[in-house]
Amino acid sequence: MQNATLHYIFDPLCGWCHGAAPLVDAARTVPGLRVVFHAGGMLTGASRRAVTPQWRDYVRPHDQRISALTGQPFGSAYTDGLLCDTSAVLDSEPPTTAILAAEALAGRGLDLLRRLQQAHYVEGRRIADTDVLQAIAIDIGLDGVAFDAEYRRQAGPATQAHIADSRAWLARVGGQGFPTFALEQTDGRITLLDIGRHPGQPQAWRNTLVTALSHSEGEQA
């Protein structure tokens, strides 16, 4: 039986995507549902940015709201460390390359994304640095040498092509930003899903997905 697909459009440096991480975890437990990720390159190219006091003042209230709504942690190493480190650069492309490498190696792109979000938002680590990315890949059980080789294969044009395709998906499903979730049924119908009803409620979100799949199966019966 062909599985339905949940398309998850995100960015590894998106605070709201960190807030939605438990929803992704819950979706991955739904029988008959395949979760496919699309990294949209929020802070890439000309949009890369150094941490500045202005950036810190901009993101802090958003982070506080995300934490209040979702229960997701923002650690002091991030709030009082990384966000105060003006030598740090925020670049979505290297972690996206790492996620693609983990997926190509072992089908573990989403696992690495989850760990990278923890590293950035809780541990205050620089996830745009290749040595940090390799250490985290090893931390989730990937072979360091194999990861390094695959990272090199995925870097540059392959990552940029993935980002372009992800942005095309965002437009195709009518998403307004990150995160965006869209359910593709086995007959090809695609429905944009509203996660605003389920902040910090992974079980309710899972139930919504299960119900959507059961309705689809009933229509096809």
Side-chain angles (χ1 to χ4, degrees):
M1 177 178 170
Q2 184 182 1
N3 286 349
T5 300
L6 181 67
H7 295 277
Y8 173 42
I9 308 171
F10 73 98
D11 188 87
L13 291 173
C14 161
W16 284 105
C17 297
H18 172 54
L23 304 186
V24 179
D25 293 343
R28 297 178 71 188
T29 71
V30 175
L33 182 65
R34 183 172 64 114
V35 181
V36 174
F37 66 82
H38 307 272
M42 182 177 71
L43 298 178
T44 58
S47 296
R48 292 169 70 248
R49 64 174 63 243
V51 172
T52 62
Q54 292 77 19
W55 175 255
R56 182 172 64 249
D57 291 345
Y58 170 74
V59 300
R60 271 184 171 164
H62 292 284
D63 292 342
Q64 290 165 358
R65 183 162 182 258
I66 293 165
S67 183
L69 284 172
T70 69
Q72 279 290 87
F74 290 78
S76 60
Y78 165 76
T79 58
D80 303 324
L82 186 62
L83 284 184
C84 297
D85 183 357
T86 55
S87 68
V89 175
L90 303 176
D91 185 351
S92 301
E93 188 166 334
T96 296
T97 300
I99 292 163
L100 293 174
E103 184 68 17
L105 277 178
R108 298 196 62 195
L110 287 171
D111 293 338
L112 186 59
L113 168 63
R114 189 69 155 96
R115 184 65 186 87
L116 289 173
Q117 289 170 322
Q118 174 85 7
H120 179 72
Y121 286 108
V122 178
E123 300 164 13
R125 298 167 73 180
R126 299 186 184 197
I127 63 169
D129 291 1
T130 54
D131 58 339
V132 172
L133 292 169
Q134 185 176 43
I136 294 172
I138 293 170
D139 185 51
I140 70 165
L142 298 178
D143 178 80
V145 173
F147 175 80
D148 181 64
E150 188 60 39
Y151 182 94
R152 293 174 187 275
R153 279 190 286 271
Q154 296 290 340
T159 296
Q160 290 155 15
H162 174 86
I163 290 171
D165 182 69
S166 299
R167 291 176 177 174
W169 265 101
L170 186 64
R172 177 181 177 184
V173 304
Q176 299 301 308
F178 311 121
T180 287
F181 292 88
L183 182 63
E184 182 177 4
Q185 304 283 8
T186 54
D187 61 3
R189 289 177 299 154
I190 298 176
T191 305
L192 185 66
L193 301 179
D194 177 17
I195 64 167
R197 297 182 299 142
H198 304 296
Q201 299 175 1
Q203 186 58 50
W205 166 246
R206 187 183 188 280
N207 292 343
T208 293
L209 294 172
V210 169
T211 299
L213 293 182
S214 64
H215 284 172
S216 175
E217 291 172 357
E219 290 171 3
Q220 294 176 35

